[in-house]
């Protein structure tokens, strides 16, 4: 059944619609099938290009980064949180690495200022 669905998804001519449909299908298939089977049948690359998949990844990266910052520097203020929320998943990953070198919250502010000026 999953193979038949994958074949039908592959026929969708619009790339964005195909990617989003693949992402929706993978999410729903996860309720019934094992992850390895889903990844074998449905192309993981298509899912990763989906705006839905990217949104999920970005939200998880944001949540993790804010939790790490709050633990390291206590509660960070709303203005900084809002600045973090617009960062891409890749920028949040970069920030995760950069945090290891931060001594205080002003290092975070400087890092964000640098990212916004690039």
């Amino acid at each position: 059944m999953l193979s038949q669905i994958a074949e039908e998804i592959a026929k969708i001519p619009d790339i964005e619609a195909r990617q989003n449909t693949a992402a929706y299908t993978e999410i729903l298939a996860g309720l019934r099938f094992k992850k390895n089977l889903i990844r074998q049948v449905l192309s993981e690359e298509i899912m990763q290009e989906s705006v839905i998949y990217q949104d999920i990844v970005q939200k998880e990266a944001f949540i993790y980064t804010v939790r790490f910052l709050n633990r390291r520097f206590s509660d960070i203020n709303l203005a900084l949180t809002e600045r973090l929320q617009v960062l891409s998943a890749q920028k949040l990953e970069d920030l995760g690495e950069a945090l290891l070198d931060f001594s205080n919250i002003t290092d975070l502010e400087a890092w964000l200022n640098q990212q916004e000026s690039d």
Side-chain angles (χ1 to χ4, degrees):
M1 178 173 66
L2 200 53
S3 295
Q4 291 171 338
I5 293 170
E7 289 173 16
E8 293 302 315
I9 291 171
K11 294 177 186 175
I12 298 172
D14 181 83
I15 293 170
E16 186 175 343
R18 184 172 57 244
Q19 291 168 343
N20 288 337
T21 303
Y24 302 145
T25 302
E26 287 204 18
I27 290 167
L28 292 174
L31 297 171
R32 172 84 166 81
F33 302 103
K34 298 212 181 276
K35 179 172 51 173
N36 290 338
L37 175 64
I38 296 168
R39 293 220 168 123
Q40 279 179 330
V41 175
L42 296 169
S43 171
E44 189 173 348
E45 292 137 10
I46 290 175
M47 184 188 74
Q48 289 176 351
E49 293 172 5
S50 161
V51 294
I52 302 303
Y53 177 87
Q54 292 172 12
D55 188 50
I56 292 168
V57 169
Q58 191 276 338
K59 284 179 183 173
E60 289 300 314
F62 169 75
I63 290 167
Y64 178 77
T65 303
V66 170
R67 286 180 65 192
F68 187 80
L69 285 166
N70 281 330
R71 183 166 181 175
R72 181 105 188 257
F73 302 119
S74 299
D75 289 326
I76 60 170
N77 65 43
L78 182 60
L80 283 175
T81 302
E82 289 173 348
R83 290 174 71 188
L84 294 170
Q85 201 161 16
V86 297
L87 295 176
S88 68
Q90 181 59 55
K91 288 287 184 184
L92 288 166
E93 286 179 25
D94 294 344
L95 174 56
E97 286 183 36
L99 280 173
L100 298 172
D101 298 325
F102 292 175
S103 300
N104 53 51
I105 202 76
T106 57
D107 292 333
L108 170 62
E109 292 169 340
W111 188 90
L112 286 168
N113 290 338
Q114 176 67 36
Q115 300 308 304
E116 291 167 354
S117 69
D118 286 346

